């Protein structure tokens, strides 16, 4: 076995305290003898949610030797609120201890730079590996197996139950509902009961349960209302034929519900998550999807907010095909022709007039898609929002207004749109005629969707587990509010020539397989673009010499890296391969005393300049 660097793990500290421990405070000493995997996550981040799902099987297989500890490290101000973290731990069925670290104390001690990041600590308390991004489950499985054997032989492995203590369950008809649909004719509502993996039909009062669709057990199974299975379903869209399309988010699939019979069938997706290099068009049941979060019927297609890859896709029920409609998979806010635009976790869709409105959650933005004047395709525009790190609650002219991680958008009768401004616990309004943003309601709890019903607006209050009906005010309230930036401190970097290293070591038993060309990719850009005078663009090396313009005092480096490793067995003609990928947005500040090298760990340990 390859010798590993011996780096003592820093202590786990967080002002918010511990969850899922029965009130106990944990220390690394308490965990000595176990293999500890720290999962640095934040609940806004869809990539973090993917990793939670990747870890479930490993957590179960090695339950007597491995302790996973979630370290919740917030991006948004709302995520630093302890009650919101408590909700998120239940919402996403996190079944291991979680340290609430609102001030990023442990994040800084471990020099973490990206959500999600995994750090492995051996039974003697030493850091032995770090992985950023998704796709590392196979590498962790191999490493854990090695550590089990190594420390069993040394007598330093302790087997037994971990420190996880489940919270007491709470009885409610809905549990963290996601999206809703007002059903025509009956006046009923169809709601995605996301945490309970089902759909619920409510009567016109918005409270009485008419029926449940789905067994309530996480899974992917077609069938009638009692036997069908979902996994954290979200968006709902009515088809012209009266059927309903369901964005079955964690199953990476679209499902069709026949409202009359209650029968559920899968119409798009394979159940597997889309990875770079996978097909982006084809027969819907043969193409992988990635965390579809919302759906809308627009111009004879189902449009899909594909949150997991920062794109919009379409599904055509007539031909049974899916394809990418907008976005490059790069995370950020860039307008322009649809195929060149950048999104960041689009999570809400609605149609108003000739526009498809988009709640682009990670950029705290309201955007839209429409046909070009020349009718040559679609173009993406932004109404509110400036980028990944600027957010808040501020009304007024759209150019300076701020949202905070909105998840839903709803067309209003007067042509304006209501935004479910989730992390501001508010309902906002944007008027495309005046360009003004205002506030319709506050004191909501994580609103995630809304619908107009008989002159009122019905809001999904996800964290209150209910629908709330409000009067649509004739005049909205204007909130001066405040602006925020992400709590992550900027990295001081030296102007001029600057070295970027993405650290990647193939897991044991694997290698970079370049039989069919380069197996690594690096994409670098900046906000503002003027920050980089040299070094922007694509390449196949995981390092890059950049030149930073000294006249630009600060900005954000956007780095996207991918590496594919395959089993290192010459006798195997078809080795199993695995993709590791991560996007970083690194706030930087130019300073003469700053670093001239930035190391971003994709997998492995940074051992300094090579």
């Amino acid at each position: 076995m390859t010798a590993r660097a011996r780096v003592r793990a820093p202590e786990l500290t967080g002002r918010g305290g511990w969850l899922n421990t029965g009130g106990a405070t944990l220390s690394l000493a308490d965990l000595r003898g176990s293999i500890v995997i720290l999962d640095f996550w934040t609940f806004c981040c869809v990539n973090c949610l993917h990793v939670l799902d990747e870890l479930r099987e490993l957590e179960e297989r090695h339950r007597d030797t491995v302790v996973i500890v979630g370290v919740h490290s917030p991006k948004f101000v709302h995520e630093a609120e302890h009650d919101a973290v408590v909700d998120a731990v239940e919402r996403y069925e996190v079944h291991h201890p979680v340290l609430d670290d609102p001030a990023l104390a442990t994040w800084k001690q471990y020099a973490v730079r990206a959500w999600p990041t995994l750090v492995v600590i051996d039974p003697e308390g030493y850091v032995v590996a770090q992985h950023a991004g998704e796709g590392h489950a196979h590498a962790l499985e191999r490493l854990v197996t090695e550590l089990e054997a190594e420390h069993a032989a040394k007598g330093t492995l302790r087997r037994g139950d971990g420190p996880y203590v489940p919270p007491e369950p709470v009885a409610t008809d809905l549990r963290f509902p996601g999206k809703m649909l007002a059903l025509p004719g009956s006046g009923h509502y169809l709601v995605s009961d996301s945490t309970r993996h089902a759909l619920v039909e409510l009567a016109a009062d918005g409270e009485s349960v008419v029926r449940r669709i789905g067994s309530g057990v996480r899974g992917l199974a077609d069938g009638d209302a009692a036997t069908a299975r979902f996994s954290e379903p979200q968006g709902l869209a009515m088809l012209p034929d009266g059927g309903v399309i369901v964005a079955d988010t964690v199953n990476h699939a679209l499902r069709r519900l026949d409202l009359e019979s209650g029968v559920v069938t899968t119409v798009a997706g394979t159940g597997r998550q889309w990875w770079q290099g996978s097909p982006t068009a084809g027969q819907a049941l043969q193409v992988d999807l990635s965390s579809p979060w919302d759906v809308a019927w627009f111009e004879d297609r189902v449009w899909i907010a594909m949150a997991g890859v920062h794109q919009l896709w379409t599904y055509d029920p007539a031909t049974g095909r899916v394809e990418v409609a907008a976005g490059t998979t790069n995370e950020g806010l860039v307008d322009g022709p649809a195929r060149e635009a950048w999104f960041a976790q689009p999570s809400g869709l609605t149609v108003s007039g000739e526009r498809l409105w988009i709640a682009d959650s990670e950029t705290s933005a309201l955007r839209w898609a429409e046909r070009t004047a020349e009718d040559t395709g679609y173009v993406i525009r932004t109404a509110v929002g400036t980028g990944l790190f600027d957010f808040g609650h501020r009304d007024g002219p759209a150019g300076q207004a701020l949202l905070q991680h909105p998840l839903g958008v709803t067309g209003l009768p007067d042509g304006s749109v209501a935004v479910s401004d989730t992390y501001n616990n508010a309902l906002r309004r944007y008027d495309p005629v005046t360009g003004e943003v205002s506030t319709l309601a506050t004191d909501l709890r994580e609103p995630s969707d809304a619908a107009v019903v008989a002159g009122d607006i019905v809001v999904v209050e996800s964290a209150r587990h209910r629908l709330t009906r409000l009067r649509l005010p004739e005049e909205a309230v204007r909130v001066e509010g405040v602006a925020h930036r992400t709590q992550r401190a900027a990295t001081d970097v030296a102007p001029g020539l600057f070295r970027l290293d993405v650290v990647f070591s193939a897991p044991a038993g694997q290698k970079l397989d370049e039989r069919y060309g380069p197996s690594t990719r690096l994409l670098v850009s900046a906000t503002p673009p003027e920050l980089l005078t040299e070094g922007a663009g694509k390449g196949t090396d995981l390092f890059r010499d950049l030149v930073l313009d000294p006249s630009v005092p600060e900005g954000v480096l956007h780095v996207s890296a991918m590496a594919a490793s395959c089993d290192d067995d010459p006798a195997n003609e078809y080795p199993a391969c695995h993709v590791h990928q991560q996007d970083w947005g690194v706030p930087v500040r130019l300073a003469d005393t700053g670093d001239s090298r930035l190391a971003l760990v994709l997998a492995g340990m940074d051992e300094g300049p090579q």
Side-chain angles (χ1 to χ4, degrees), residues 391-429:
F391 54 90
H393 189 160
R394 185 165 63 200
D395 289 336
Q400 57 87 55
L402 294 169
L403 309 170
Q404 187 179 178
H405 197 81
L407 290 179
V409 59
T410 307
L412 298 179
D414 63 358
S416 65
V417 290
V419 179
S420 295
D421 194 6
T422 310
Y423 288 2
N424 278 327
N425 296 313
L427 190 68
R428 313 286 293 285
R429 176 179 179 266

Side-chain angles (χ1 to χ4, degrees), residues 37-40 47-48 50-59 61-62 68 114-120 129-145 273 275 502-508 510 512 542 561-565 577-584 600-605:
I37 300 176
L38 304 182
D39 176 17
F40 289 87
N47 310 94
C48 299
H50 291 166
V51 167
L52 283 175
D53 291 317
E54 289 178 3
L55 292 174
R56 292 186 201 279
E57 289 186 17
L58 182 143
E59 194 169 20
R61 277 196 301 271
H62 301 273
I68 296 174
W115 297 278
T117 290
L118 300 169
V119 176
V120 183
Q130 181 172 329
H131 301 273
E134 306 175 50
H136 301 293
H138 64 286
L140 290 172
E141 176 68 37
R142 180 97 180 218
L143 177 57
V144 164
T145 301
Q273 183 184 340
W275 290 97
V502 173
V503 177
F504 177 77
S505 299
Q510 296 186 17
L512 292 175
L542 291 180
M562 184 273 288
S565 62
C577 296
H578 306 273
V579 176
H580 316 255
Q581 65 182 46
Q582 173 63 11
D583 295 334
W584 290 268
L600 302 174
V601 178
L602 180 59
M605 299 285 284

Side-chain angles (χ1 to χ4, degrees), residues 46-127:
V46 72
N47 310 94
C48 299
L49 305 185
H50 291 166
V51 167
L52 283 175
D53 291 317
E54 289 178 3
L55 292 174
R56 292 186 201 279
E57 289 186 17
L58 182 143
E59 194 169 20
E60 180 60 30
R61 277 196 301 271
H62 301 273
R63 60 190 308 171
D64 64 336
T65 59
V66 171
V67 175
I68 296 174
V69 173
V71 182
H72 189 267
S73 313
K75 171 185 174 180
F76 290 98
V77 170
H78 176 68
E79 293 175 302
E81 297 174 8
H82 183 72
D83 288 346
V85 180
V86 172
D87 285 344
V89 167
E90 180 188 352
R91 181 194 298 266
Y92 297 116
E93 296 185 307
V94 179
H95 293 164
H96 50 249
V98 173
L99 174 64
D100 181 11
D101 183 20
L104 303 181
T106 296
W107 165 288
K108 294 170 185 174
Q109 285 294 308
Y110 281 83
V112 175
R113 293 187 179 274
W115 297 278
T117 290
L118 300 169
V119 176
V120 183
I121 302 171
D122 73 12
E124 294 179 283
Y126 291 94
V127 175

Side-chain angles (χ1 to χ4, degrees), residues 578-607:
H578 306 273
V579 176
H580 316 255
Q581 65 182 46
Q582 173 63 11
D583 295 334
W584 290 268
V586 183
V588 297
R589 180 175 54 237
L590 271 63
D592 292 336
T593 57
D595 296 330
S596 59
R597 174 180 179 264
L598 175 64
L600 302 174
V601 178
L602 180 59
M605 299 285 284
D606 179 31
E607 298 180 359

